[in-house]
Amino acid sequence: MSLVDNVSDQSEANVQKYGYKQEFRRDLKRFASFAVGFSFISITTGIFSTYGGVLNWGGPLGIWTWPFVAIGQLFVALVFAALASRIPIAGYSYQWMSRLANPKIGWLIGWLSFTYLIVVVVSVDYGIAQTIFPSLFHYTETPVNAWIVTAAIVLVQMLLILFSTTWSTRINNTAVGTEVIGIVGLTLLLLIVGLVRGGLHPDHLFSMGAVPAAGYFNLGTLTSVGPFIFSFLLGSYTIVGFEAAANLAEETENAHKVVPFSMWTAVVLSGIVGMFFLIALNLASGDLKALAGSATPVADIVTQTLGTVVGDIFLILVTFSIFACGLVIFITATRLVWAMSRDERFPAYRLFQRVDSHTSTPLAATILCGIVIEIVLAVFATQTNTLTNLFSASSLLPAIVYLATVILYISTRHKLPKSQGFSLRAFEWPVMILALVWLVFELSIFRDASFQTPWLYSLVMFALGLIYFVYMLVRRPQVLKTLPLEGTSVEEEPGIASSQAD
């Protein structure tokens, strides 16, 4: 038997010991797994969508919240890497929480994750429609055309996923190159051209812009946060989704080793490259007041510094990267629906648990996600400050999921099997505590009264989920009482050695 066969057999055994059978082709290798996490984070998406907001919240100085977020999220990614190594199956937080706590808690976290993935697809695709296309195609953005363009982008993504997971993966892999080339290329060109033309503004690196200096670094009150603290939303929206690699664990070769590495390296690379890009933007920024009032501030800096032709070339690369970001998040949502349906814990689960043998895609789950995404888009598109509300909701929900996961990992990690490929070892407690402190701080930002719409979306979607949750408790209680292996706990599952955390 070849080494490849041995790895394949071991991967299939890892799925079987959790009570499942291997239904997906394991086509994702190390780079593809990294690409999933890196494309989900997508620093181009986050910065193009939120840089204008930062100029209004905390001025150019607000970009210096980025490294704090990157370090905080790295601690979270390391905790998630430890989980992914021990439970390398699709469904990530839903599966982990079901085993760390119980299937009821797992379901609630799974539904929150579904709620998050839906709205983040909308926010990413809406970012293309509002912050890039108007500058690229020279038209005036309005709420109506932004809605129409976003709806069309979602439809194209859905068709790609339905057609072929392989092609979706190829697009995603290519997007890693365009992301790196686009951001690194833009960073270098903005600095070089700006220096040659004398258009760099070193004073903008630490300028507060039009934001008053009084109370700038204040933590805020019970219902508000200070300007600098508000600016943390820049990184909080961007540096999330690294765990998407874990949701495709059943499609990844040697997942228990590959997925953990993919998650934390995606955070590190995104943090470093993103910081340099933000510095270049601040240096190349011209009229801060005009940029703060623009719907396309990053695109404006690019075209004003590099010219229309060169600027448009880079904007095309950026558009492709952001499109791929939305695509991989869309795929992640379909896999979560499929994973919950496989356990008979999602409405119409018999339909959504099916995987097409030709495309290796859960077709019904993909169509469902597409429909729900379009509905959520329609709701947000009719509001004012649509993009701000979207990326705020897309920052709030993962913070809740991350915090719940880290807390349960700290308190019940002794239930988990031994690490198969990644372990925090002596650094486990420092990493866990720092991850916990960071997430509590991050969630405290959302006490600001301006986040009413994101909280409302989260509560409404959670309430809808609770309706089905109560239905299962009343009509199908056994489904929420047992894990797939006929009611056995993790400690009792055959072939899994239970131990205290490394």
Side-chain angles (χ1 to χ4, degrees), residues 54 57-58 61-62 65 68-69 215-221 224-236 438 441-448 451:
V54 171
W57 305 327
L61 183 59
T65 58
F68 295 103
V69 179
Y216 184 84
F217 293 102
N218 283 353
L219 293 177
T221 66
S224 66
V225 296
F228 187 72
I229 302 300
F230 210 115
S231 299
F232 273 81
L233 197 60
L234 165 67
S236 295
W438 155 246
F441 168 77
E442 182 185 19
L443 266 178
S444 72
I445 299 172
F446 292 94
R447 71 184 187 275
D448 193 277
F451 295 117

Side-chain angles (χ1 to χ4, degrees), residues 20 24 40 89-99 105-121 161 243-251 327-349 352-355 361-362 364-366 368-369 397-398 401 405 457 461:
Y20 303 121
F24 291 106
F40 195 128
I89 50 179
Y92 63 114
S93 286
Y94 157 68
Q95 292 284 8
W96 300 337
M97 300 293 271
S98 294
R99 287 161 172 77
I105 298 297
W107 190 92
L108 293 172
I109 294 299
W111 183 260
L112 275 178
S113 299
F114 171 71
T115 299
Y116 159 61
L117 292 170
I118 293 300
V119 74
V120 77
V121 173
I161 298 169
E243 72 279 10
N247 204 28
L248 273 67
E250 293 180 38
E251 300 164 65
L327 181 67
V328 77
I329 299 169
F330 201 140
I331 293 173
T332 305
T334 66
R335 297 315 189 259
L336 179 60
V337 170
W338 173 82
M340 296 178 73
S341 298
R342 176 174 61 176
D343 290 343
E344 301 182 3
R345 295 174 187 162
F346 201 87
Y349 61 85
F352 300 129
Q353 68 184 200
R354 298 173 186 170
V355 177
T361 301
T366 301
L368 170 73
C369 289
L397 284 162
V401 172
T405 305
Y457 166 77
M461 288 293 288

Side-chain angles (χ1 to χ4, degrees), residues 191-223:
L191 294 176
I192 294 171
V193 175
L195 181 63
V196 171
R197 294 181 176 178
L200 297 184
H201 305 274
D203 56 310
H204 287 186
L205 282 178
F206 300 99
S207 169
M208 297 179 186
V211 180
Y216 184 84
F217 293 102
N218 283 353
L219 293 177
T221 66
L222 287 176
T223 57

Side-chain angles (χ1 to χ4, degrees), residues 13-74:
N14 283 335
V15 175
Q16 290 175 346
K17 69 186 179 184
Y18 287 104
Y20 303 121
K21 64 178 181 178
Q22 183 71 40
E23 296 190 58
F24 291 106
R25 292 192 294 267
R26 287 189 178 270
D27 294 333
L28 302 185
K29 299 184 180 355
R30 182 178 292 272
F31 179 79
S33 178
F34 164 79
V36 168
F38 187 73
S39 292
F40 195 128
I41 293 174
S42 184
I43 47 182
T44 52
T45 302
I47 293 175
F48 268 75
S49 297
T50 59
Y51 183 75
V54 171
L55 293 179
N56 287 286
W57 305 327
L61 183 59
I63 70 166
W64 295 102
T65 58
W66 179 275
F68 295 103
V69 179
I71 293 170
Q73 294 296 65
L74 177 59

